[in-house]
């Protein structure tokens, strides 16, 4: 017989949240069933704390919030991180130079808040970003006219993202940034190149959380859809990629769930709770 589930960890965008960035009613019911059985829910997202939906922050079954691709971990309802990694001054200097070399605009995550180059918001429509993306950035970021100075002076900055205008620009950014030693480099959505200190990722942060909960990674099921979820899915006993996941995420998974628009996470949770899915 295989193991039964003791913890669930899930990405947000493209995974737990629907296409409107909300928790569907079916997802809420499934999360409620986890809570009733005492199974902790852990969120693992690339978003900073300031950008988490209020309904997610209020979800009673959530025990921990892994944010900024694993750079910061919070307990539910807590404003101070319990675990963190940060970009050194030297890395921030290197990243600023990379932004200059590639003509890229950036955002920096600092103590759970996201500061964005004002040019991103001013030029987003020209870059063919979706209106929903633009609206999300406007709601959750603080616009900064001199982001370069902030990046250089922001001691303890946990992550820095580059905005790509198109696929070719993203390839140039990726190539340039990959030349910088000591970085974790990933991408959760097509228009971003995301960086943090080497060793930062969702899996490492989850290992810290599970140790606190006295749960083995082999007893956890993880859900994701992006390249930044690969390590997470590989680290858990059961890694589940969404139907809408990237090729790398799907390749790292043990199972493929229905898409986030079809309540894929909820449907898999019911199967896990009913014993239809087990793993060694």
């Amino acid at each position: 017989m295989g193991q039964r589930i003791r913890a669930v960890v899930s990405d947000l965008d493209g995974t737990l949240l629907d296409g409107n960035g909300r928790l569907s009613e079916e997802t809420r019911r499934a999360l409620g069933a986890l809570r009733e059985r005492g199974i902790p829910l852990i969120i693992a997202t690339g978003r900073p704390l300031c950008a988490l939906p209020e309904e997610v922050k209020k979800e009673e079954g959530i025990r921990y919030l892994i944010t900024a691709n694993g750079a910061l971990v919070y307990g539910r309802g807590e404003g101070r991180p319990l675990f963190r990694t940060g970009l050194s001054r030297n890395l921030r200097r290197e990243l600023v130079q990379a932004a200059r070399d590639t003509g890229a605009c950036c955002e920096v995550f600092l103590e759970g808040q996201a500061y964005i180059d004002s040019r991103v918001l001013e030029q987003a429509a020209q870059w063919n970003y979706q209106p929903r993306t633009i609206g999300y950035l406007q709601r959750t970021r603080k616009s900064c006219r001199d982001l370069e100075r902030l990046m250089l002076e922001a001691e303890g900055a946990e992550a820095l993202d580059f905005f790509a205008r198109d696929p070719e620009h993203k390839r140039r950014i990726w190539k340039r940034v990959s030349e910088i030693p000591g970085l974790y480099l990933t991408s959760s959505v097509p228009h971003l190149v995301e960086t943090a200190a080497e060793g930062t990722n969702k899996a490492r942060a989850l290992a810290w959380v599970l140790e606190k909960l006295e749960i083995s990674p082999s007893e956890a099921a993880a859900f994701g859809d992006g390249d930044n979820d690969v390590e997470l899915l590989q680290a858990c006993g059961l890694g589940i990629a969404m139907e809408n996941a990237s090729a790398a995420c799907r390749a790292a998974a043990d199972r493929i769930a229905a898409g986030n628009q079809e309540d894929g996470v909820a449907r898999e949770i019911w199967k896990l709770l009913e014993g239809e899915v087990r793993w060694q």
Side-chain angles (χ1 to χ4, degrees), residues 31-271:
L31 298 186
L34 288 179
R35 184 173 65 252
E36 290 171 3
R37 289 163 175 79
I39 298 172
L41 172 64
I42 303 158
I43 297 301
T45 178
R47 294 193 188 203
L49 183 67
C50 68
L52 298 188
E54 285 302 314
E55 61 180 339
V56 169
K57 293 180 181 179
K58 293 176 181 178
E59 180 60 42
E60 294 181 6
I62 294 174
R63 293 285 297 278
Y64 290 92
L65 299 162
I66 297 171
T67 69
N69 286 323
L72 293 175
V73 177
Y74 298 86
R76 179 180 175 273
E78 297 182 11
R80 296 181 64 84
L82 305 174
F83 170 95
R84 72 180 303 159
T85 64
L87 291 163
S88 67
R89 182 187 298 273
N90 183 60
L91 281 177
R92 284 182 278 115
R93 287 174 178 162
E94 293 276 4
L95 289 167
V96 165
Q97 187 58 54
R100 293 172 181 167
D101 293 345
T102 59
C105 295
C106 300
E107 66 177 357
V108 62
F109 295 173
L110 177 61
E111 298 181 354
Q113 179 62 55
Y115 299 86
I116 191 170
D117 189 320
S118 59
R119 293 175 296 171
V120 175
L121 301 178
E122 294 166 358
Q123 301 172 11
Q126 302 172 32
W127 297 355
N128 296 316
Y129 285 179
Q130 295 295 319
R132 180 171 173 269
T133 299
I134 298 172
Y136 163 71
L137 293 174
Q138 290 173 332
R139 290 192 307 274
T140 61
R141 269 59 173 171
K142 290 186 177 181
S143 181
C144 182
R145 286 286 174 186
D146 194 355
L147 191 75
E148 186 173 291
R149 178 180 177 183
L150 176 63
M151 290 190 294
L152 290 172
E153 297 179 352
E155 295 294 340
E158 54 262 17
L160 191 148
D161 296 344
F162 293 77
F163 288 86
R165 294 185 290 273
D166 52 51
E168 177 55 34
H169 190 215
K170 183 176 182 178
R171 283 190 287 271
R172 289 197 290 112
I173 295 170
W174 191 280
K175 182 177 184 298
R176 175 64 181 84
V177 175
S178 66
E179 297 170 353
I180 302 173
L183 278 180
Y184 169 64
L185 181 60
T186 191
S187 180
S188 59
V189 290
H191 65 271
L192 284 183
V193 174
E194 298 158 71
T195 72
E198 187 174 35
T200 301
N201 60 57
K202 294 181 180 182
R204 180 187 177 193
L206 178 65
W208 183 89
V209 169
L210 292 179
E211 183 177 358
K212 296 293 181 185
L213 294 172
E214 298 184 342
I215 295 174
S216 167
S218 66
E219 299 172 304
F223 294 87
D225 77 304
D227 289 1
N228 62 331
D229 295 312
V230 167
E231 297 95 344
L232 181 68
L233 268 58
Q234 292 173 333
C236 291
L238 183 64
I240 304 174
M242 313 306 291
E243 181 63 38
N244 49 281
S246 70
C249 185
R250 290 169 65 94
D254 300 301
R255 285 175 59 84
I256 305 298
N260 67 310
Q261 292 278 51
E262 287 77 44
D263 295 322
V265 172
R267 288 160 66 173
E268 291 296 309
I269 287 175
W270 291 123
K271 291 176 184 177

Side-chain angles (χ1 to χ4, degrees), residues 3-22:
Q3 298 193 57
R4 282 192 176 273
I5 186 173
R6 289 194 62 207
V8 169
V9 54
S10 181
D11 173 51
L12 288 179
D13 297 288
T15 305
L16 192 67
L17 302 179
D18 63 20
N20 295 315
R22 302 294 304 277

